[in-house]
Amino acid sequence: MSPEIKRRGLMLVLSSPSGAGKTTLSRLLLESDPAITLSVSATTRPKRATEVEGRDYHFISREEFDSWIRKDAFLEHAVVFDHRYGTPRSPVMDALAAGRDVLFDIDWQGTQQLKERAREDLVSIFILPPSHAELERRLKERAQDSDESVSRRMAKAGDEISHWPEYDYVIVNRDIDRALSQVKAILEAERARRSRLIGVGEFVAGLMR
Amino acid sequence: MSPEIKRRGLMLVLSSPSGAGKTTLSRLLLESDPAITLSVSATTRPKRATEVEGRDYHFISREEFDSWIRKDAFLEHAVVFDHRYGTPRSPVMDALAAGRDVLFDIDWQGTQQLKERAREDLVSIFILPPSHAELERRLKERAQDSDESVSRRMAKAGDEISHWPEYDYVIVNRDIDRALSQVKAILEAERARRSRLIGVGEFVAGLMR
């Protein structure tokens, strides 16, 4: 028997402006691929009625958040709309060490910080909405459910979108099935990337013995 | 209407030792994906009975081969088993300019030369056989059809395999369907790579107008 080739887990970042379909894509990816798990962020913003502690976020106080920063317990953290968001470090490190992949639903600020820490383990995808009209329509729909105005949401979307050149891949979400298949292809390809594989040298030595 | 995002074509190299299933993989990929075409090499080795000029190779004389080298008409060329092999430049350049992808069935020597010329346009995959026993079995089968000995073929396979660390991706061909789906995923992922896309900036400007 040839020795087995293993691989390091990877960190997959999906970023996009609100209204580009990122949340749906993340959910479909997690449902279809048991080898990837979602990194659950911690936040100081209040829990919404539909949200579940530990599934959507870890809802923590401002004091707790600050103490996690002091303990260096976040892989990245940022302020968005006056609230704090951060990625707890230890669940991510445990998953990667076990050869599992971790999905991050974070913005450009989080991605920049993660990139500095994760280096080659990070794979980043930026999701774009298909058109101005469609982006506006989705932002209007969302603004109805919250106290944030459409114009504030549009400004935030423009800020987020301006960071697309920092990502490894860019996908235009014209059709959710097509976009999902592209995300899956990127994940499958990155799993076969030579720099992520462990034990190829031994496997090859076994081939030529 | 938002302006369209285009992309540069890419050069996909599949390399492997003889007997790892590369030729079958190449054929299946070409059949299933109309956006990729095979680069047909030129060679000075004699045409075999089953081969077709212009489909399998361009069969040319040693003098012609040398004159192509002088004209810089090859993207890469190398000597293998006392015969010369080279990749004609112009069909590749025409395809890439038209946003089409080109598949290369070349060895490590060709890949090294291509890499220097193609830079970011090159995506390289190394295909490994599943085991020593399987590699030996396939090489024996092939040796029966030719005047080359199994031991010479095995030495050549070892030489080729030793170059796996120079490739972007490594795939173990345990099952042809699985290996094909991995090659297709790599191709789809690389097509969405940000550095290959043209016009994203204008597309984004159209989103935020």
Side-chain angles (χ1 to χ4, degrees):
Chain A
M1 271 302 284
S2 307
E4 209 185 330
I5 296 176
K6 294 194 174 122
R7 66 175 183 88
R8 290 152 47 128
L10 59 85
M11 297 156 88
L12 183 69
V13 168
L14 290 186
S15 292
S16 80
S18 172
K22 177 181 59 168
T23 307
T24 309
L25 273 176
S26 298
R27 184 176 51 75
L28 293 173
L29 181 65
L30 290 165
E31 283 170 10
S32 68
D33 190 333
I36 190 163
T37 43
L38 183 68
S39 162
V40 178
S41 297
T43 183
T44 61
R45 85 155 164 70
K47 190 168 91 62
R48 295 179 190 146
T50 57
E51 291 176 328
V52 176
E53 157 65 32
R55 185 195 68 183
D56 298 294
Y57 286 98
H58 301 291
F59 297 96
I60 64 179
S61 69
R62 174 70 192 269
E63 291 67 37
E64 213 174 338
F65 200 96
D66 290 343
S67 94
W68 285 36
I69 294 177
R70 284 193 302 273
K71 287 185 293 184
D72 199 26
F74 286 126
L75 271 176
E76 58 80 28
H77 57 92
V79 180
V80 182
F81 283 164
D82 310 329
H83 294 298
R84 279 154 176 74
Y85 295 82
T87 299
R89 177 195 300 275
S90 63
V92 176
M93 293 299 126
D94 293 349
L96 295 183
R100 293 177 55 76
D101 305 315
V102 183
L103 177 66
F104 297 84
D105 180 347
I106 55 177
D107 70 357
W108 66 267
Q109 297 187 65
T111 306
Q112 284 185 355
Q113 288 184 56
L114 214 56
K115 220 186 217 172
E116 288 185 14
R117 301 222 171 176
R119 306 274 166 186
E120 288 228 332
D121 289 338
L122 191 84
V123 175
S124 60
I125 306 178
F126 200 87
I127 315 285
L128 290 172
S131 65
H132 175 77
E134 184 60 19
L135 176 63
E136 201 170 32
R137 192 188 66 74
R138 295 188 200 172
L139 290 180
K140 273 184 185 155
E141 207 173 86
R142 295 198 170 200
Q144 292 176 342
D145 303 334
S146 79
D147 52 358
E148 285 144 19
S149 66
V150 175
S151 63
R152 192 178 182 196
R153 286 191 167 263
M154 188 56 96
K156 179 71 174 54
D159 178 39
E160 186 69 27
I161 285 188
S162 71
H163 289 275
W164 70 266
E166 297 155 28
Y167 288 73
D168 299 324
Y169 300 93
V170 174
I171 292 176
V172 179
N173 184 10
R174 289 200 170 79
D175 170 89
I176 192 79
D177 292 330
R178 171 84 188 109
L180 178 64
S181 116
Q182 286 183 286
V183 171
K184 283 171 154 179
I186 290 167
L187 189 55
E188 180 163 10
E190 291 286 349
R191 284 170 175 166
R193 190 172 281 284
R194 192 239 322 130
S195 53
R196 251 182 264 294
L197 301 178
I198 300 166
V200 183
E202 287 169 33
F203 182 84
V204 161
L207 288 178
M208 301 314 301
R209 65 171 164 76
Chain B
M1 270 302 285
S2 307
E4 208 186 330
I5 296 177
K6 294 193 176 124
R7 67 175 182 89
R8 289 153 45 130
L10 58 85
M11 297 155 89
L12 183 69
V13 168
L14 290 186
S15 292
S16 79
S18 171
K22 177 182 59 168
T23 307
T24 309
L25 273 175
S26 298
R27 184 176 52 75
L28 293 173
L29 181 65
L30 290 165
E31 284 171 9
S32 68
D33 190 333
I36 190 164
T37 44
L38 183 68
S39 162
V40 178
S41 297
T43 183
T44 59
R45 87 157 162 68
K47 189 168 90 62
R48 293 177 192 149
T50 56
E51 290 177 330
V52 176
E53 157 65 32
R55 185 194 71 184
D56 298 294
Y57 287 98
H58 300 291
F59 296 96
I60 64 178
S61 68
R62 174 71 191 270
E63 291 68 36
E64 213 174 338
F65 200 96
D66 290 343
S67 94
W68 284 38
I69 294 178
R70 283 193 304 272
K71 288 185 294 184
D72 198 26
F74 287 126
L75 271 176
E76 58 80 27
H77 57 90
V79 180
V80 182
F81 283 162
D82 309 330
H83 294 298
R84 278 154 176 73
Y85 295 81
T87 299
R89 177 195 300 275
S90 64
V92 176
M93 293 299 126
D94 293 350
L96 296 182
R100 294 178 53 76
D101 304 316
V102 184
L103 177 66
F104 296 84
D105 179 347
I106 56 177
D107 70 358
W108 65 267
Q109 296 186 67
T111 306
Q112 284 186 354
Q113 289 184 53
L114 214 56
K115 220 185 215 171
E116 288 185 16
R117 302 223 170 176
R119 306 273 166 188
E120 288 226 332
D121 289 337
L122 191 85
V123 175
S124 60
I125 306 178
F126 200 88
I127 315 287
L128 290 172
S131 66
H132 175 78
E134 185 60 19
L135 176 63
E136 201 170 32
R137 192 189 65 73
R138 294 187 201 173
L139 290 181
K140 272 184 185 156
E141 208 172 87
R142 294 198 170 199
Q144 292 175 342
D145 304 333
S146 79
D147 52 359
E148 285 144 18
S149 68
V150 175
S151 64
R152 193 178 182 193
R153 285 191 167 265
M154 188 56 96
K156 178 71 175 54
D159 178 39
E160 186 69 27
I161 285 187
S162 71
H163 289 275
W164 69 267
E166 297 155 28
Y167 287 73
D168 299 324
Y169 299 93
V170 174
I171 292 177
V172 179
N173 184 11
R174 290 200 168 79
D175 171 89
I176 192 79
D177 291 331
R178 171 86 188 108
L180 178 65
S181 116
Q182 286 182 286
V183 171
K184 283 171 153 180
I186 290 167
L187 189 55
E188 181 164 10
E190 290 286 350
R191 283 170 175 166
R193 190 172 281 284
R194 194 239 322 129
S195 54
R196 251 181 264 295
L197 301 178
I198 299 166
V200 183
E202 286 169 35
F203 182 84
V204 161
L207 287 178
M208 300 313 300
R209 65 172 164 74

